[in-house]
Amino acid sequence: MARLSLSKIEKVYPNGFKAVHGVDLEVKDGEFMVFVGPSGCAKSTLLRMIAGLESITGGELRIGDRPVNALPPKQRGIAMVFQNYALYPHMKVYDNLAFGLKLAGTPKAELDQRVRHAAALLEMEHLLDRYPKQLSGGQAQRVAVGRAIVKKPDVFLFDEPLSNLDAKLRAAMRVRLTELHRTLRDSHQPATTIYVTHDQVEAMTMGERICVLKDGVIQQVDTPTALYDRPANAFVAGFIGSPEMNLLAARLVGTDGIGGAPLAVEVGGVRLPLPADKAAGLGGLPRIADGAVTFGLRPEHIGIVARAQGDSVAAPARLRFTEHMGSELYLHADLGPLPVTARVPAEQASALAGLSRGDALTLHLQMSACHLFDATSGVNLLSHAGASASSPASSTGSAPGSMPSSPRASQGFFA
Ligand SMILES: Nc1ncnc2c1ncn2[C@@H]1O[C@H](COP(=O)(O)OP(=O)(O)OP(=O)(O)O)[C@@H](O)[C@H]1O
Ligand SMILES: [Mg+2]
């Protein structure tokens, strides 16, 4: 069992490119941590530094209580599964699983016990006698995971292990890997895991906590729910969730007196009154030049019928097109000049009958669920320090430019 601690970790590649910028992160013993972010954000670089496959330029890495910066991969107690797992083609599955243990001189009885235990965990006892070419893609990937399990590592590292599988198999493997992790942990076996993916669905469904990266900088470390409900900035807000959160250029307008809270947000020429708590949340912030903000609203918070709760605001829009997803449809419309997406339950689709492209319709925006981000820095203006309470203090996910913890005296919103 092992926890993992990254302190001010940096990576400068030999060509001078700085790929990782001062990453601070604690992964708890037994935790399933996901690294997610767009291509090139340094997910693999970080993972390879943890594995010892890439040198660490700055900072300290600890596994358990040991600083391991200088240790070779073999002495770090880790096992890694890649996207391109190479099985030995001339060896049966059993021998593929046993190979590393044989090299390490593991006694035959223990080797056999470990191989069969891993095969049982992955429900592949019936595959032990096959050659890799006799396996499906998903089965071969299970063997690759099995090779990691037989090593009994302190930490499992996965780098996009499911990317080569088709969508259906990916979904099945996702569940299998998550269950495997919980099984290992529940039976007090080493289970600390870092799982790299660029797929936010994988991140949300598998991760106990998720570390969102961009350009080698941590944007936020939090539980899936906290990331979804309280994104630290517009980047995280747009990256987590499908379809994406609507992020629209907007302006805060009107105040409830000199230096007071804004009354509304103007989006695409439409004035949307702000709920009192949102307005109050902005009230103590330093002024925002021209009131310019980014307005964020998830597609499920935009509807075509008014909400019974009475917290929706009607806004005129024009239909662009719809995508039918079965139980719901994605409605694409223009709010003034700004494209927005709404998620509409299929049973409400009849309200759209007879409408074609360019026709007027009314959207109902659930303002109690809206987010406001700084137009320049992207920082969430409403999630003040401490709002992200579910994030343990140890998750030093340094949200860049995060809000000052003691808001300065308000000077009104307009420079
Ligand atoms: N050997 C290298 N020398 C110089 N730059 C490198 C090297 N390896 C990677 N990089 C750069 O470091 C950055 C991070 O790369 P990395 O492979 O870690 O990204 P990633 O998040 O894993 O991306 P992907 O999702 O595409 O796998 C990229 O800009 C990449 O071009
Ligand atoms: Mg990568």
Side-chain angles (χ1 to χ4, degrees):
M1 296 273 210
R3 67 194 188 92
L4 210 104
S5 156
L6 286 72
S7 173
K8 300 188 171 48
I9 292 289
E10 310 232 309
K11 177 66 189 182
V12 181
Y13 277 111
N15 67 356
F17 179 72
K18 189 164 183 179
V20 176
H21 302 256
V23 161
D24 289 317
L25 180 72
E26 299 277 340
V27 182
K28 288 175 258 180
D29 184 19
E31 187 173 27
F32 197 114
M33 170 70 77
V34 171
F35 287 177
V36 72
S39 184
C41 71
K43 303 179 293 295
S44 297
T45 301
L46 266 175
L47 206 69
R48 292 170 58 80
M49 285 197 283
I50 294 168
L53 303 172
E54 199 67 72
S55 66
I56 295 172
T57 323
E60 187 180 65
L61 171 68
R62 286 171 171 266
I63 299 179
D65 293 322
R66 294 187 303 166
V68 298
N69 287 45
L71 288 188
K74 278 210 165 101
Q75 292 172 26
R76 293 193 183 193
I78 49 100
M80 190 153 168
V81 181
F82 299 92
Q83 175 179 348
N84 296 310
Y85 47 88
L87 303 181
Y88 301 109
H90 58 286
M91 286 184 200
K92 290 184 172 173
V93 168
Y94 184 100
D95 297 306
N96 263 285
L97 293 174
F99 187 68
L101 297 180
K102 251 185 211 159
L103 280 188
T106 311
K108 202 160 183 306
E110 185 189 340
L111 176 150
D112 187 63
Q113 184 271 330
R114 284 213 218 169
V115 167
R116 292 189 188 281
H117 175 66
L121 276 174
L122 289 160
E123 295 171 55
M124 59 177 192
E125 293 111 315
H126 60 295
L127 302 176
L128 288 173
D129 258 346
R130 295 205 196 164
Y131 286 98
K133 66 171 185 288
Q134 299 168 314
L135 302 174
S136 71
Q139 290 169 335
Q141 186 54 276
R142 262 146 74 192
V143 178
V145 175
R147 275 200 311 210
I149 291 175
V150 295
K151 285 176 78 176
K152 290 199 181 170
D154 291 327
V155 181
F156 289 93
L157 304 175
F158 290 96
D159 195 351
E160 310 230 14
L162 309 183
S163 308
N164 286 347
L165 307 180
D166 67 51
K168 208 168 167 179
L169 202 49
R170 279 177 82 132
M173 280 299 284
R174 209 162 73 199
V175 175
R176 196 181 274 273
L177 287 180
T178 310
E179 278 196 315
L180 173 70
H181 171 259
R182 307 303 189 262
T183 305
L184 287 174
R185 188 170 59 194
D186 292 349
S187 57
H188 306 289
Q189 296 175 64
T192 311
T193 298
I194 301 182
Y195 187 99
V196 163
T197 179
H198 61 262
D199 177 347
Q200 59 92 22
V201 175
E202 250 171 48
M204 289 292 280
T205 53
M206 300 179 82
E208 292 176 299
R209 283 194 304 151
I210 300 173
C211 170
V212 183
L213 289 154
K214 181 186 170 220
D215 298 335
V217 178
I218 292 185
Q219 303 295 304
Q220 190 170 4
V221 185
D222 236 320
T223 60
T225 319
L227 281 183
Y228 194 81
D229 294 339
R230 294 184 296 280
N233 58 39
F235 175 81
V236 174
F239 193 78
I240 299 290
S242 176
E244 281 178 28
M245 184 188 289
N246 296 289
L247 292 168
L248 309 170
R251 256 170 58 84
L252 298 171
V253 290
T255 63
D256 60 1
I258 295 167
L263 296 177
V265 59
E266 201 176 272
V267 184
V270 182
R271 193 182 169 102
L272 307 168
L274 280 171
D277 63 322
K278 304 269 181 204
L282 291 166
L285 292 177
R287 57 180 154 184
I288 297 162
D290 301 329
V293 292
T294 300
F295 175 78
L297 196 60
R298 294 206 181 274
E300 62 267 37
H301 298 132
I302 304 181
I304 52 173
V305 295
R307 278 167 49 86
Q309 288 83 342
D311 60 348
S312 57
V313 172
R318 293 200 175 273
L319 179 67
R320 294 174 68 216
F321 62 98
T322 54
E323 293 176 282
H324 290 268
M325 309 303 294
S327 64
E328 61 183 3
L329 57 90
Y330 300 162
L331 169 77
H332 300 274
D334 285 325
L335 186 69
L338 305 173
V340 294
T341 304
R343 271 169 78 173
V344 177
E347 57 270 22
Q348 292 176 5
S350 56
L352 296 169
L355 289 185
S356 37
R357 190 181 171 83
D359 285 351
L361 79 164
T362 301
L363 295 178
H364 296 270
L365 314 184
Q366 187 187 333
M367 293 299 286
S368 57
C370 81
H371 299 267
L372 295 167
F373 303 98
D374 185 288
T376 313
S377 70
V379 167
N380 189 336
L381 297 170
L382 292 170
S383 83
H384 303 270
S388 181
S390 64
S391 159
S394 61
S395 73
T396 44
S398 46
S402 55
M403 293 312 304
S405 51
S406 57
R408 277 165 275 162
S410 167
Q411 302 171 42
F413 279 90
F414 312 111

